[in-house]
């Protein structure tokens, strides 16, 4: 496949698992942006010695470069996608964007790594709407297994 598949979700662990399974099932490469950042950039050293502004420019460059790959499923944490310059890069890339929609109750039931009590309802709803609007495909997560979720995403590719 020439296009990349970019997976967005409020729950990073859920997105990473689904994206990894999807890549395996489609015989594509898998790239987790957080892992790539931690591997390629010594985050704490850069932050301390050079500063957050430089670190952010390096992260932006890494994401921009990642979007040029081919045949890759990319897990992009939503907190990066919230930045307008990253949104522009992703939306202008040769990619199909998938949003795995997860509601607040499901996040609580799943004991996600996101402290949703600290996210005001209006902000939560705005995040969901932003991701929905950006995605080519929205997949609802309602507790299905990761294999079933990856299969749902794979099936939706037939319409792209």
């Amino acid at each position: 496949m020439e296009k990349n598949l970019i997976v967005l979700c409020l729950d990073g662990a859920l997105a990473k698992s689904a994206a990894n399974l999807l890549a395996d099932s489609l015989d594509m490469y898998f790239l987790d942006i957080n892992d790539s950042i931690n591997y390629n950039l010594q985050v704490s050293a850069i932050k301390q010695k050079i500063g957050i502004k430089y670190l952010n420019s390096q992260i932006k460059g890494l994401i921009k470069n990642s979007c040029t790959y081919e045949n890759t499923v990319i897990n992009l944490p939503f907190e990066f996608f919230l930045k307008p310059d990253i949104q522009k890069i992703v939306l202008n890339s040769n990619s199909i964007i998938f949003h795995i929609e997860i509601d607040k109750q499901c996040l609580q039931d799943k004991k996600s790594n996101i402290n949703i009590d600290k996210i005001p309802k209006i902000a939560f709803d705005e995040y969901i709407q932003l991701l929905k609007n950006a995605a080519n495909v929205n997949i609802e997560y309602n507790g299905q297994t990761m294999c079933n979720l990856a299969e749902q995403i794979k099936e939706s590719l037939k319409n792209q």
Side-chain angles (χ1 to χ4, degrees):
M1 176 173 285
E2 287 183 28
K3 290 188 174 198
N4 288 329
L5 308 178
I6 297 178
V7 178
L8 301 170
C9 182
L10 285 178
D11 184 331
L14 173 71
K16 184 176 182 177
S17 296
N20 200 354
L21 283 170
L22 180 63
D24 284 347
S25 72
L26 293 171
D27 198 28
M28 294 175 72
Y29 299 106
F30 170 72
L31 175 66
D32 179 74
I33 293 295
N34 270 338
D35 289 348
S36 185
I37 287 168
N38 290 329
Y39 179 79
N40 290 299
L41 306 173
Q42 296 174 341
V43 175
S44 59
I46 290 175
K47 216 187 278 189
Q48 289 174 351
K49 292 183 180 179
I50 300 172
I52 193 73
K53 190 173 183 179
Y54 178 76
L55 176 62
N56 285 336
S57 73
Q58 292 298 300
I59 291 171
K60 180 181 172 183
L62 192 141
I63 292 172
K64 186 175 185 176
N65 186 44
S66 298
C67 287
T68 66
Y69 297 170
E70 289 184 357
N71 198 38
T72 304
V73 178
I74 300 171
N75 177 41
L76 178 67
F78 90 98
E79 57 269 20
F80 292 123
F81 190 76
L82 292 177
K83 299 176 181 181
D85 53 341
I86 300 297
Q87 283 179 36
K88 187 176 179 181
I89 290 167
V90 171
L91 294 173
N92 291 326
S93 69
N94 185 27
S95 304
I96 300 172
I97 302 169
F98 292 89
H99 167 229
I100 301 171
E101 184 178 349
I102 185 167
D103 64 23
K104 267 190 164 183
Q105 186 61 51
C106 204
L107 277 171
Q108 286 175 325
D109 294 347
K110 193 176 166 300
K111 296 183 179 23
S112 170
N113 57 348
I114 296 173
N115 187 348
I116 61 168
D117 294 329
K118 290 188 177 182
I119 302 174
K121 178 167 179 17
I122 188 78
F124 184 88
D125 293 343
E126 287 175 5
Y127 291 159
I128 293 292
Q129 197 58 52
L130 172 74
L131 296 173
K132 273 183 167 181
N133 291 343
N136 302 101
V137 178
N138 288 285
I139 303 287
E140 191 173 316
Y141 176 76
N142 52 19
Q144 66 266 47
T145 66
M146 286 303 105
C147 290
N148 286 346
L149 182 59
E151 195 58 38
Q152 258 186 287
I153 297 170
K154 188 175 171 181
E155 282 297 312
S156 70
L157 276 172
K158 294 176 181 174
N159 298 325
Q160 294 301 309

